[in-house]
Amino acid sequence: MWYPGHISKAKRKIKEFLKAVDTILIILDARAPLATTAFERELFSGKKVLYILNKSDLADENYTNLWIKKISETSPVISFSKDEPVNKIKKFIKSFSKEKLKETRVLIAGVPNVGKSSIINKISGRKLAKTGMAPGITRGLQWINLGNVKLLDTPGILYSKLFNKDIAAKLLLIGSLPVESIEKYDIITRAYELFKDELNINKSFEEFLEEYGKQRGFISKGGIVDFERTKNNIFKSISEGKFGRFTYDKEVNLWMQK
Ligand SMILES: Nc1nc2c(ncn2[C@@H]2O[C@H](COP(=O)(O)OP(=O)(O)OP(=O)(O)O)[C@@H](O)[C@H]2O)c(=O)[nH]1
Ligand SMILES: [Mg+2]
């Protein structure tokens, strides 16, 4: 499974910086609030933890509301998307800072590609952190000053081994695992199953690939569909919401506050 070296380095760095932070802002993807907790949240035990269900523009609104209700039983949480006014996050962070006048240091954590750096940029009103469509964009830790709030952007982290096929499939569907890195075909087919259930598609993965590849003109030299290119394009498009708004984690009762 995809686990580039910068992730283990990032975990070591996060541990080092923990002493210097008061609050952890965990960014989850609203489409998969459970799968996007697939990292060592125990790193943050003893700290004040806030949650943001991000990319809510790509999730099913009814489920987002259910998730907010569930998570708020144990932790402060809001939903967010890049088109919403950033004041929502600023107010949220400030309402949990210990003393209004003192400096608050907030570490932003989450799996790859959930929008951590985009949030930092929105809050600061400047493009201070690099963002991008692929997971693994942020490589080092970076402090961003916002008056008396200091924010620490961190690279996306993940468990080093993802044993659970469903979790891996959901992370693929939301773009937290690069499709090119998935070698296990059963993860791809599981992801397709989850996706096909949302759209009520009645085709096998092979049929779907064939048809989509032809439509898009992804044809190799011999005149046959380029399955690799088609597959990569499909999963990228799904993760960017081009097929619609879906929530893959539906069982809110599985939420457990660690
Ligand atoms: N639709 C949608 N896309 C978003 C939102 N927030 C961020 N994105 C997009 O998601 C992609 C990843 O954003 P980043 O901010 O780089 O994510 P990150 O969590 O910092 O990623 P890593 O540094 O790789 O861990 C970019 O293409 C963003 O434009 C959102 O609310 N809605
Ligand atoms: Mg980043």
Side-chain angles (χ1 to χ4, degrees):
M1 186 59 71
W2 184 71
Y3 191 74
H6 82 263
I7 294 188
S8 33
K9 201 169 151 207
K11 284 181 191 169
R12 286 200 301 275
K13 283 275 174 201
I14 287 173
K15 278 184 203 151
E16 261 176 60
F17 277 78
L18 271 181
K19 283 185 255 34
V21 302
D22 322 296
T23 306
I24 313 293
L25 183 61
I26 294 185
I27 314 298
L28 303 174
D29 190 306
R31 295 169 290 177
L34 280 177
T36 47
T37 61
F39 62 91
E40 295 84 346
R41 277 189 300 166
E42 60 274 16
L43 273 174
F44 306 126
S45 53
K47 298 277 175 191
K48 177 102 209 151
V49 175
L50 317 176
Y51 289 94
I52 291 184
L53 292 187
N54 199 32
K55 302 200 185 184
S56 60
D57 56 314
L58 304 180
D60 179 327
E61 206 176 348
N62 297 324
Y63 279 108
T64 302
N65 292 335
L66 289 175
W67 276 111
I68 293 285
K69 197 158 163 253
K70 182 66 189 177
I71 298 171
S72 66
E73 288 172 8
T74 49
S75 310
V77 59
I78 54 168
S79 64
F80 191 67
S81 84
K82 61 179 165 47
D83 307 316
E84 287 186 68
V86 71
N87 247 347
K88 188 173 175 184
I89 297 188
K90 284 189 184 170
K91 273 196 203 146
F92 182 59
I93 295 175
K94 289 207 169 139
S95 65
F96 290 99
S97 50
K98 273 191 301 201
E99 291 165 46
K100 296 283 173 280
L101 296 171
K102 220 185 117 221
E103 186 178 89
T104 304
R105 279 168 290 189
V106 181
L107 183 146
I108 304 200
V111 300
N113 211 35
V114 287
K116 299 176 292 301
S117 301
S118 302
I119 284 180
I120 291 248
N121 287 341
K122 268 211 97 165
I123 295 178
S124 66
R126 289 153 64 193
K127 205 167 172 354
L128 297 170
K130 196 173 159 201
T131 62
M133 301 218 286
I137 295 291
T138 304
R139 292 301 168 100
L141 281 71
Q142 187 187 8
W143 280 108
I144 310 262
N145 281 314
L146 226 203
N148 58 355
V149 178
K150 280 183 99 187
L151 302 164
L152 184 63
D153 189 18
T154 65
I157 53 174
L158 273 173
Y159 283 131
S160 57
K161 291 198 172 65
L162 285 173
F163 294 108
N164 186 307
K165 189 166 74 180
D166 262 45
I167 292 179
K170 287 170 188 172
L171 292 175
L172 168 62
L173 288 167
I174 62 163
S176 287
L177 288 174
V179 55
E180 300 83 358
S181 75
I182 310 276
E183 288 143 14
K184 290 195 177 141
Y185 204 64
D186 58 341
I187 293 174
I188 303 263
T189 49
R190 179 67 189 132
Y192 174 68
E193 253 174 55
L194 291 167
F195 165 73
K196 146 179 133 142
D197 288 349
E198 297 297 329
L199 280 173
N200 291 318
I201 298 171
N202 231 335
K203 293 185 185 93
S204 72
F205 186 41
E206 286 70 23
E207 285 165 345
F208 187 72
L209 275 174
E210 175 92 30
E211 203 168 284
Y212 186 90
K214 272 189 190 146
Q215 260 172 24
R216 303 292 301 264
F218 297 154
I219 308 294
S220 353
K221 272 199 184 121
I224 52 160
V225 168
D226 181 342
F227 283 109
E228 193 63 20
R229 184 169 169 214
T230 307
K231 176 199 78 186
N232 292 351
N233 186 285
I234 287 173
F235 282 105
K236 201 141 179 41
S237 302
I238 295 174
S239 72
E240 289 165 8
K242 292 190 180 146
F243 288 94
R245 297 172 62 161
F246 311 120
T247 298
Y248 303 108
D249 275 327
K250 301 186 199 297
E251 296 192 57
V252 294
N253 286 325
L254 293 178
W255 178 260
M256 271 189 307
Q257 174 61 24
K258 276 192 206 154

